[in-house]
Short mmCIF file of all heavy atoms in Angstrom, two decimals:
data_model
loop_
_atom_site.label_atom_id
_atom_site.label_comp_id
_atom_site.label_asym_id
_atom_site.label_seq_id
_atom_site.Cartn_x
_atom_site.Cartn_y
_atom_site.Cartn_z
N TYR U 1 115.81 101.22 98.52
CA TYR U 1 114.75 100.35 98.03
C TYR U 1 113.57 101.17 97.50
O TYR U 1 112.96 100.81 96.48
CB TYR U 1 114.29 99.42 99.16
CG TYR U 1 113.49 98.24 98.69
CD1 TYR U 1 114.11 97.11 98.17
CD2 TYR U 1 112.09 98.26 98.76
CE1 TYR U 1 113.36 96.02 97.74
CE2 TYR U 1 111.34 97.18 98.33
CZ TYR U 1 111.98 96.06 97.82
OH TYR U 1 111.24 95.00 97.38
N ILE U 2 113.24 102.25 98.19
CA ILE U 2 112.14 103.11 97.73
C ILE U 2 112.50 103.79 96.41
O ILE U 2 111.66 103.94 95.51
CB ILE U 2 111.80 104.15 98.81
CG1 ILE U 2 111.14 103.45 100.02
CG2 ILE U 2 110.87 105.23 98.27
CD1 ILE U 2 110.84 104.38 101.17
N VAL U 3 113.76 104.19 96.27
CA VAL U 3 114.20 104.85 95.03
C VAL U 3 114.09 103.89 93.85
O VAL U 3 113.63 104.26 92.75
CB VAL U 3 115.65 105.35 95.20
CG1 VAL U 3 116.26 105.72 93.85
CG2 VAL U 3 115.68 106.57 96.11
N VAL U 4 114.49 102.62 94.04
CA VAL U 4 114.37 101.63 92.97
C VAL U 4 112.90 101.41 92.60
O VAL U 4 112.53 101.37 91.41
CB VAL U 4 115.02 100.30 93.40
CG1 VAL U 4 114.76 99.21 92.38
CG2 VAL U 4 116.52 100.49 93.58
N GLY U 5 112.03 101.28 93.61
CA GLY U 5 110.61 101.11 93.33
C GLY U 5 109.99 102.33 92.67
O GLY U 5 109.10 102.20 91.82
N ALA U 6 110.45 103.52 93.05
CA ALA U 6 109.93 104.74 92.43
C ALA U 6 110.26 104.78 90.95
O ALA U 6 109.43 105.21 90.12
CB ALA U 6 110.50 105.97 93.14
N ALA U 7 111.45 104.31 90.58
CA ALA U 7 111.81 104.26 89.17
C ALA U 7 110.93 103.28 88.40
O ALA U 7 110.50 103.57 87.27
CB ALA U 7 113.29 103.89 89.03
N LEU U 8 110.62 102.13 89.02
CA LEU U 8 109.78 101.14 88.34
C LEU U 8 108.36 101.65 88.16
O LEU U 8 107.79 101.59 87.06
CB LEU U 8 109.78 99.84 89.15
CG LEU U 8 111.08 99.05 89.20
CD1 LEU U 8 110.93 97.84 90.11
CD2 LEU U 8 111.49 98.61 87.81
N PHE U 9 107.75 102.16 89.25
CA PHE U 9 106.35 102.58 89.17
C PHE U 9 106.18 103.84 88.32
O PHE U 9 105.13 104.02 87.69
CB PHE U 9 105.79 102.80 90.57
CG PHE U 9 105.46 101.52 91.28
CD1 PHE U 9 106.24 101.08 92.34
CD2 PHE U 9 104.38 100.74 90.89
CE1 PHE U 9 105.94 99.90 93.00
CE2 PHE U 9 104.07 99.56 91.54
CZ PHE U 9 104.86 99.13 92.60
N SER U 10 107.14 104.72 88.33
CA SER U 10 107.03 105.89 87.46
C SER U 10 107.07 105.50 86.00
O SER U 10 106.44 106.15 85.15
CB SER U 10 108.16 106.87 87.77
OG SER U 10 109.42 106.28 87.49
N ASN U 11 107.77 104.40 85.69
CA ASN U 11 107.82 103.91 84.31
C ASN U 11 106.57 103.12 83.94
O ASN U 11 106.03 103.26 82.85
CB ASN U 11 109.07 103.05 84.13
CG ASN U 11 109.27 102.61 82.69
OD1 ASN U 11 108.75 103.21 81.77
ND2 ASN U 11 110.03 101.54 82.50
N TRP U 12 106.10 102.27 84.86
CA TRP U 12 104.95 101.43 84.57
C TRP U 12 103.64 102.20 84.59
O TRP U 12 102.80 102.05 83.70
CB TRP U 12 104.87 100.30 85.59
CG TRP U 12 105.96 99.29 85.48
CD1 TRP U 12 106.83 99.14 84.43
CD2 TRP U 12 106.31 98.29 86.44
NE1 TRP U 12 107.69 98.11 84.68
CE2 TRP U 12 107.41 97.56 85.90
CE3 TRP U 12 105.81 97.94 87.69
CZ2 TRP U 12 108.01 96.50 86.59
CZ3 TRP U 12 106.40 96.88 88.37
CH2 TRP U 12 107.49 96.17 87.83
N GLU U 13 103.44 103.02 85.61
CA GLU U 13 102.15 103.68 85.82
C GLU U 13 102.07 105.08 85.25
O GLU U 13 100.98 105.66 85.21
CB GLU U 13 101.85 103.74 87.33
CG GLU U 13 101.79 102.39 88.02
CD GLU U 13 100.60 101.56 87.58
OE1 GLU U 13 99.60 102.16 87.11
OE2 GLU U 13 100.66 100.33 87.68
N GLY U 14 103.20 105.63 84.84
CA GLY U 14 103.18 107.00 84.33
C GLY U 14 103.10 108.04 85.43
O GLY U 14 102.73 109.19 85.16
N TRP U 15 103.42 107.65 86.67
CA TRP U 15 103.41 108.60 87.77
C TRP U 15 104.69 109.44 87.75
O TRP U 15 105.67 109.08 87.11
CB TRP U 15 103.32 107.88 89.12
CG TRP U 15 102.07 107.09 89.32
CD1 TRP U 15 100.88 107.25 88.68
CD2 TRP U 15 101.88 105.99 90.23
NE1 TRP U 15 99.96 106.34 89.12
CE2 TRP U 15 100.55 105.55 90.08
CE3 TRP U 15 102.69 105.36 91.15
CZ2 TRP U 15 100.02 104.50 90.80
CZ3 TRP U 15 102.17 104.30 91.90
CH2 TRP U 15 100.85 103.88 91.73
N SER U 16 104.64 110.53 88.48
CA SER U 16 105.86 111.28 88.68
C SER U 16 106.77 110.52 89.65
O SER U 16 106.31 109.65 90.39
CB SER U 16 105.56 112.68 89.23
OG SER U 16 105.01 112.60 90.54
N TYR U 17 108.04 110.88 89.64
CA TYR U 17 108.99 110.16 90.49
C TYR U 17 108.66 110.36 91.96
O TYR U 17 108.77 109.42 92.76
CB TYR U 17 110.40 110.66 90.19
CG TYR U 17 111.48 109.76 90.70
CD1 TYR U 17 111.85 108.61 90.00
CD2 TYR U 17 112.14 110.04 91.89
CE1 TYR U 17 112.84 107.77 90.47
CE2 TYR U 17 113.13 109.20 92.37
CZ TYR U 17 113.48 108.07 91.66
OH TYR U 17 114.45 107.24 92.14
N ILE U 18 108.23 111.55 92.33
CA ILE U 18 107.88 111.83 93.73
C ILE U 18 106.64 111.04 94.14
O ILE U 18 106.58 110.48 95.24
CB ILE U 18 107.66 113.34 93.94
CG1 ILE U 18 108.94 114.11 93.60
CG2 ILE U 18 107.24 113.63 95.38
CD1 ILE U 18 110.13 113.75 94.46
N ASP U 19 105.64 110.98 93.25
CA ASP U 19 104.43 110.22 93.56
C ASP U 19 104.72 108.73 93.71
O ASP U 19 104.15 108.07 94.59
CB ASP U 19 103.38 110.43 92.46
CG ASP U 19 102.75 111.81 92.52
OD1 ASP U 19 102.86 112.46 93.59
OD2 ASP U 19 102.18 112.24 91.51
N ALA U 20 105.62 108.21 92.88
CA ALA U 20 105.95 106.79 92.97
C ALA U 20 106.69 106.49 94.27
O ALA U 20 106.43 105.47 94.93
CB ALA U 20 106.80 106.38 91.77
N ALA U 21 107.60 107.36 94.68
CA ALA U 21 108.30 107.17 95.95
C ALA U 21 107.33 107.31 97.12
O ALA U 21 107.39 106.55 98.10
CB ALA U 21 109.44 108.18 96.08
N TYR U 22 106.41 108.26 97.01
CA TYR U 22 105.39 108.45 98.05
C TYR U 22 104.50 107.21 98.17
O TYR U 22 104.19 106.76 99.28
CB TYR U 22 104.57 109.69 97.72
CG TYR U 22 103.22 109.76 98.38
CD1 TYR U 22 103.09 110.15 99.71
CD2 TYR U 22 102.06 109.45 97.67
CE1 TYR U 22 101.84 110.23 100.32
CE2 TYR U 22 100.81 109.53 98.27
CZ TYR U 22 100.71 109.91 99.58
OH TYR U 22 99.49 109.98 100.18
N PHE U 23 104.12 106.62 97.03
CA PHE U 23 103.31 105.41 97.05
C PHE U 23 104.04 104.26 97.74
O PHE U 23 103.46 103.51 98.54
CB PHE U 23 102.93 105.01 95.62
CG PHE U 23 102.48 103.59 95.49
CD1 PHE U 23 101.22 103.20 95.90
CD2 PHE U 23 103.34 102.63 94.96
CE1 PHE U 23 100.82 101.88 95.80
CE2 PHE U 23 102.94 101.31 94.85
CZ PHE U 23 101.67 100.94 95.27
N SER U 24 105.33 104.10 97.45
CA SER U 24 106.10 103.02 98.07
C SER U 24 106.18 103.20 99.57
O SER U 24 105.99 102.25 100.34
CB SER U 24 107.51 102.97 97.46
OG SER U 24 107.46 102.69 96.08
N PHE U 25 106.45 104.42 100.02
CA PHE U 25 106.56 104.67 101.46
C PHE U 25 105.22 104.44 102.16
O PHE U 25 105.16 103.82 103.23
CB PHE U 25 107.04 106.09 101.71
CG PHE U 25 107.16 106.43 103.17
CD1 PHE U 25 108.26 106.02 103.91
CD2 PHE U 25 106.15 107.14 103.82
CE1 PHE U 25 108.37 106.33 105.26
CE2 PHE U 25 106.25 107.45 105.17
CZ PHE U 25 107.37 107.04 105.89
N ILE U 26 104.13 104.91 101.57
CA ILE U 26 102.80 104.74 102.17
C ILE U 26 102.43 103.26 102.24
O ILE U 26 101.79 102.81 103.20
CB ILE U 26 101.76 105.54 101.37
CG1 ILE U 26 101.98 107.04 101.55
CG2 ILE U 26 100.35 105.18 101.81
CD1 ILE U 26 101.82 107.52 102.98
N THR U 27 102.87 102.48 101.26
CA THR U 27 102.57 101.06 101.26
C THR U 27 103.42 100.31 102.29
O THR U 27 102.91 99.49 103.06
CB THR U 27 102.82 100.46 99.87
OG1 THR U 27 101.97 101.12 98.93
CG2 THR U 27 102.50 98.97 99.85
N PHE U 28 104.72 100.61 102.34
CA PHE U 28 105.61 99.89 103.24
C PHE U 28 105.29 100.16 104.71
O PHE U 28 105.50 99.30 105.56
CB PHE U 28 107.06 100.26 102.97
CG PHE U 28 107.54 99.85 101.60
CD1 PHE U 28 108.60 100.49 101.01
CD2 PHE U 28 106.90 98.84 100.90
CE1 PHE U 28 109.04 100.12 99.76
CE2 PHE U 28 107.33 98.47 99.64
CZ PHE U 28 108.41 99.11 99.07
N THR U 29 104.77 101.33 104.99
CA THR U 29 104.38 101.64 106.37
C THR U 29 102.95 101.20 106.67
O THR U 29 102.45 101.49 107.76
CB THR U 29 104.51 103.16 106.62
OG1 THR U 29 103.79 103.88 105.62
CG2 THR U 29 105.97 103.59 106.59
N THR U 30 102.31 100.50 105.74
CA THR U 30 100.95 99.95 105.85
C THR U 30 99.91 101.02 106.12
O THR U 30 98.86 100.74 106.70
CB THR U 30 100.86 98.86 106.94
OG1 THR U 30 101.06 99.44 108.23
CG2 THR U 30 101.88 97.76 106.71
N ILE U 31 100.18 102.25 105.71
CA ILE U 31 99.17 103.31 105.83
C ILE U 31 98.09 103.10 104.78
O ILE U 31 96.90 103.04 105.09
CB ILE U 31 99.82 104.70 105.69
CG1 ILE U 31 100.82 104.91 106.82
CG2 ILE U 31 98.77 105.80 105.71
CD1 ILE U 31 101.64 106.18 106.70
N GLY U 32 98.49 102.99 103.51
CA GLY U 32 97.56 102.64 102.44
C GLY U 32 96.41 103.60 102.27
O GLY U 32 95.25 103.22 102.41
N LEU U 33 96.71 104.86 101.98
CA LEU U 33 95.64 105.86 101.83
C LEU U 33 94.75 105.57 100.62
O LEU U 33 93.57 105.88 100.64
CB LEU U 33 96.26 107.25 101.72
CG LEU U 33 97.02 107.72 102.97
CD1 LEU U 33 97.67 109.07 102.72
CD2 LEU U 33 96.09 107.80 104.16
N GLY U 34 95.32 104.99 99.57
CA GLY U 34 94.51 104.63 98.41
C GLY U 34 94.42 105.72 97.37
O GLY U 34 93.69 105.54 96.38
N ASP U 35 95.11 106.86 97.56
CA ASP U 35 95.07 107.90 96.54
C ASP U 35 95.86 107.51 95.30
O ASP U 35 95.56 107.96 94.19
CB ASP U 35 95.59 109.23 97.11
CG ASP U 35 96.91 109.06 97.82
OD1 ASP U 35 97.30 107.91 98.07
OD2 ASP U 35 97.55 110.07 98.13
N LEU U 36 96.88 106.67 95.48
CA LEU U 36 97.64 106.11 94.36
C LEU U 36 97.62 104.60 94.49
O LEU U 36 98.04 104.05 95.51
CB LEU U 36 99.09 106.62 94.38
CG LEU U 36 99.29 108.11 94.09
CD1 LEU U 36 100.75 108.49 94.30
CD2 LEU U 36 98.86 108.44 92.67
N VAL U 37 97.12 103.91 93.45
CA VAL U 37 97.00 102.46 93.47
C VAL U 37 97.53 101.93 92.14
O VAL U 37 97.13 102.44 91.08
CB VAL U 37 95.54 102.01 93.68
CG1 VAL U 37 95.43 100.49 93.65
CG2 VAL U 37 95.00 102.56 94.99
N PRO U 38 98.42 100.95 92.16
CA PRO U 38 98.88 100.38 90.88
C PRO U 38 97.77 99.64 90.18
O PRO U 38 96.91 99.03 90.81
CB PRO U 38 100.01 99.43 91.32
CG PRO U 38 99.67 99.06 92.71
CD PRO U 38 99.03 100.28 93.31
N GLY U 39 97.77 99.70 88.87
CA GLY U 39 96.72 99.03 88.13
C GLY U 39 96.73 99.34 86.66
O GLY U 39 96.39 98.50 85.83
#
């Protein structure tokens, strides 16, 4: 599920694949550091 989301966010936001996967994991675990935010 994280891999699928990483592909979507890397395409939509222009993030790297690792950053998009990192964003998904940080969000799903409700950590929410805020260094990467969709928008």
Side-chain angles (χ1 to χ4, degrees):
Y1 196 81
I2 290 177
V3 166
V4 173
L8 291 177
F9 283 108
S10 63
N11 185 21
W12 291 346
E13 300 292 336
W15 297 339
S16 66
Y17 196 80
I18 300 298
D19 287 342
Y22 159 79
F23 161 76
S24 298
F25 179 80
I26 291 298
T27 300
F28 296 157
T29 53
T30 67
I31 298 174
L33 296 176
D35 49 348
L36 292 173
V37 178

